[in-house]
Amino acid sequence: MNFRNESLGAITSFQVLNNTIEGEAGNRKFRLTPYNHNIVRVQVSKYETFDEYPFSVVMQPENIATKISDSSEEILLTTEACEMKVSKSPFRISFYNRQGELLNEDDPTFGISWLGEEVTNYKSLAQDEIFLGMGEKSGGLNRRGSSYDNWNSDAFGFNNDTDPLYVSTPFFIGVREGRPYGIFLDNTYKSHFNFGTSNNDRFSYFSASGGDLNYYFIQGDTVNDVIQQYSKLTGTIQMPPKWSLGFQQCRYSYYPDHEVYNIADTFREKKIPADVIYLDIHYMKDYMAFTFDNERFPNPKALIEKLISQGFKVVVILDPGIATKKGYGTYDRGLEKDVFVKYPDGTAYEASVWPGNSHFTDFTDKKGRDWWADELKFYTDLGLEGFWNDMNEPACWGQDIPDMVEFDYDGQQVTHKKARNVYGFQMVRATYEGARKQIGNKRPFTLTRSGFSGVQRYSAVWTGDNVAGDDHMLLGVRLVNSLGMAGVPVAGYDVGGFVEESSPQLFSRWLAVATFAPFFRVHSMVNVRDSEPWAYGEEVEEISRNYINLRYKLMPYLYSLFYRAYQNGTPINKSLAVDYTNDPEIYHGNAQHEFTLGDWLLVCPTTSQQEYAKIYLPEGNWYRFFTDEKVIGAQHLVIETSMEDLPVYAKEGAIIPLQNVVQNTQEVHDGEMKLHIYHGDVETSQQYFEDDGETFDFEQEAFYRRQMTFNGNEKRIVLSEKEGNFQSSFKRLKVYLHGFESTEFQINGQKADLSTEDIRLIEPVTEFDPLPQRDKKNYLISDINFIETDFIDSEIEIIWS
Ligand code: MIG
């Protein structure tokens, strides 16, 4: 049998049912369904029934008013936000915005095509078209000229060319003549995306090795709109427990128990704030899930309790492979409940991995997930609330699972080919749902290595086994920025590098950058040097403490950003491509890995040995965060940098609520909100959110929420009246006025006394001997003006003249 490309032919029949257009073209079935005004689903199948992918999309089509018209040449579907034109002969689709401007269209020649089982959609490629996102993919910010496979892989020691990695999110954002759109290929088979590689820009395309062409087209006026629409489709994060925003210390592995006690004590003695310590695989008896090694950890309950009393949470690793040992309770119960993945002849699939010969839980089966949830009680009874899912691509020795192996896949009975990419996603779903079942109203924390679109609903993602090197540090930042554009806002990388060893300079730089990452964890490989903040000498220890302190000061701002991500999917770390999409400068050089934490804290990662760095500031006026030096944007700058001085800038109009340093998130702060406002002729707003940080009571209004707005032209700052039934932990409000020239301020109609203070957002580093020859900075912001008032729940209006 010799295959040639077969492109979809002419429409032979169709009908309109409500908003859905369904029919046949050639001998293929198609169905076009608007989900809301911005999202249209396109399905084309060569099979008798449309292929179902039940795991990623949580949205149901909304019953919206559309206009559908039909002529001899084409079918037109018009919503309030976009227009889809389907030419009839041959079947080709194009999408337009409200203004009739083209967003995306099928390649006129090849359109939708098959090569045997493989389905491909060829799209015309505009000269200036930019491609963003794709989640955890190596390479540059603009994906133009690159191609990628989605096939979840254990990519130990990956680098900037490695593809695929651990997580697949077959979703990209295209920007054509400045106008963004998104395409999510919801097909879990191995897929391939080509953004103009090896075809001299004839077209871009995406393929799936099996199943249907099943994609969602998304119109959005901005990149962030597209991300928010995608987040409606695939869901947003759960509110995390607040402790998971703190600093986390991991290693492969801390054992025996006294080593863990020792690490915990050292953080507290050295006054380096931290919230989490991890137990990697050596805590288990012979690497068997749901066990503790009795010799290394004779009393896990006491250990966990002691750490809790010191303000730490313990997170344990959990792999999917279950040792096939009779008498091992988990295995026996798994066999009895029939939860393991099987060959087509009904025998359980067996491969070797950490616990030796293992079976693999079928997490795509509700039965498997429910069993896992019950097994989790072993941990939750010990007081654990945090779970780290590893090896869930799934990985095993040899890394070559036979494709015929079968998975339930929500009752479909499919092979490895269709199930692999969702395996890790469904494992961490089982873990999250199981933990919820076991710990009642408390918020669990889950972390996964593998995932698929929608994984954000259940877990944070870390980027796996990176390497200690400057390039890897920058790659990690891009991966996190890119995951944010793929609807996964909570992500991080192993600070210091997992494989190989960091230098003191690299460790400090990496930790400084990660201070601004959503997930902040140091981790390193077995048999490498110690990698705690104090393990690289006194200077690094001080630098680490300074940045970790800053992380805890930022907590009110950071937590509010997690809440926004929970509400609508807005990334916590935003690549400059999110807010400055049409500035061509951001797609080159250092600007590619720059990002903002929230809307206006710009972080410019520079490498560890640099004394000078070229950075890019996008349009607007900026204030260097640690010194208040004012800089005009839309320009490249060469600035001084050093291992303790990361270039961070606050944008004009920034509203940044800070608190005092605490040693962990459970520790009560001093009750004073330090609200930093950066003057400019702009109007901005920032949502402030607070709640108990640990339960789901916020779903019943037990939260404290207010909008903070700044208007430089009207000379007004307003903190709206609070919403919700939660009592804020803040009692006093101190407003720091950066770049304000006025001295006459009123708060709620009363003259406000202006005072001045010297402040530091970051502490200086002591002179160490011998020192690299560079000037130590003192980061003093002298005589900064501030005004003070009670943090009352009713509106607070500040005006000036
Ligand atoms: O085969 O659990 O990516 O973070 O420390 C290696 C041991 C298994 C891989 C994870 C890494 C973890 C390690 N794991």
Side-chain angles (χ1 to χ4, degrees), residues 559-688:
Y559 193 65
S560 301
L561 296 174
F562 273 72
Y563 180 68
R564 180 169 74 174
Y566 155 79
Q567 286 175 306
N568 64 22
T570 299
I572 294 166
N573 282 175
K574 288 200 256 175
S575 155
L576 297 186
V578 177
D579 288 335
Y580 306 95
T581 315
N582 293 324
D583 178 349
E585 296 303 312
I586 67 162
Y587 298 101
H588 310 284
N590 200 51
Q592 290 190 79
H593 20 258
E594 290 178 15
F595 62 90
T596 55
L597 172 64
D599 297 336
W600 30 53
L601 209 50
L602 174 71
V603 180
C604 309
T606 53
T607 54
S608 60
Q609 308 283 351
Q610 276 180 290
E611 287 173 27
Y612 292 92
K614 193 172 170 198
I615 58 160
Y616 180 69
L617 297 186
E619 50 89 10
N621 292 309
W622 300 84
Y623 296 76
R624 187 133 181 193
F625 197 42
F626 304 149
T627 62
D628 252 12
E629 177 202 352
K630 206 169 163 182
V631 195
I632 295 165
Q635 63 160 327
H636 294 276
L637 290 179
V638 174
I639 50 146
E640 252 188 274
T641 168
S642 63
M643 66 192 262
E644 82 266 14
D645 188 14
L646 178 72
V648 181
Y649 293 83
K651 195 171 189 183
E652 56 183 340
I655 304 168
I656 301 179
L658 302 182
Q659 66 171 61
N660 72 312
V661 173
V662 288
Q663 294 307 301
N664 61 79
T665 57
Q666 320 272 316
E667 191 181 308
V668 190
H669 58 66
D670 66 7
E672 182 182 82
M673 177 184 284
K674 299 155 211 315
L675 187 63
H676 289 260
I677 304 209
Y678 294 82
H679 191 272
D681 297 329
V682 291
E683 200 186 330
T684 55
S685 80
Q686 169 71 33
Q687 177 178 237
Y688 174 71

Side-chain angles (χ1 to χ4, degrees), residues 154 156 166 250-253 280-281 317 319 354 388 390-391 397 449 462 464-465 494 498 521 523-526:
D154 178 357
F156 177 81
Y166 309 86
C250 189
R251 104 147 284 151
Y252 172 15
S253 309
D280 202 334
I281 49 175
I317 198 168
D319 293 354
W354 286 113
W388 169 24
D390 186 22
M391 306 292 278
W397 303 153
R449 191 168 76 174
W462 103 102
D465 299 338
D494 288 347
F498 180 71
R521 186 184 75 158
H523 183 37
S524 57
M525 172 83 164
V526 73

Side-chain angles (χ1 to χ4, degrees), residues 746-751 789 792 794-799:
Q746 285 186 13
I747 303 179
N748 286 349
Q750 302 286 312
K751 183 178 181 321
T789 183
I792 52 169
S794 51
E795 184 180 279
I796 302 175
E797 186 196 46
I798 299 168
I799 56 169

Side-chain angles (χ1 to χ4, degrees), residues 79 142 314 353 356 379 382 390 501 510 571 586 608 610 741 757:
T79 74
N142 183 356
V314 175
V353 64
Y379 293 121
L382 296 171
D390 186 22
E501 300 188 344
W510 212 324
I586 67 162
S608 60
Q610 276 180 290
E741 272 159 19
E757 201 179 292

Side-chain angles (χ1 to χ4, degrees), residues 42-60:
V42 176
Q43 291 168 275
V44 188
S45 183
K46 68 185 289 191
Y47 306 101
E48 269 158 39
T49 51
F50 287 109
D51 202 13
E52 296 297 329
Y53 305 93
F55 300 116
S56 293
V57 171
V58 289
M59 185 184 187
Q60 295 296 320

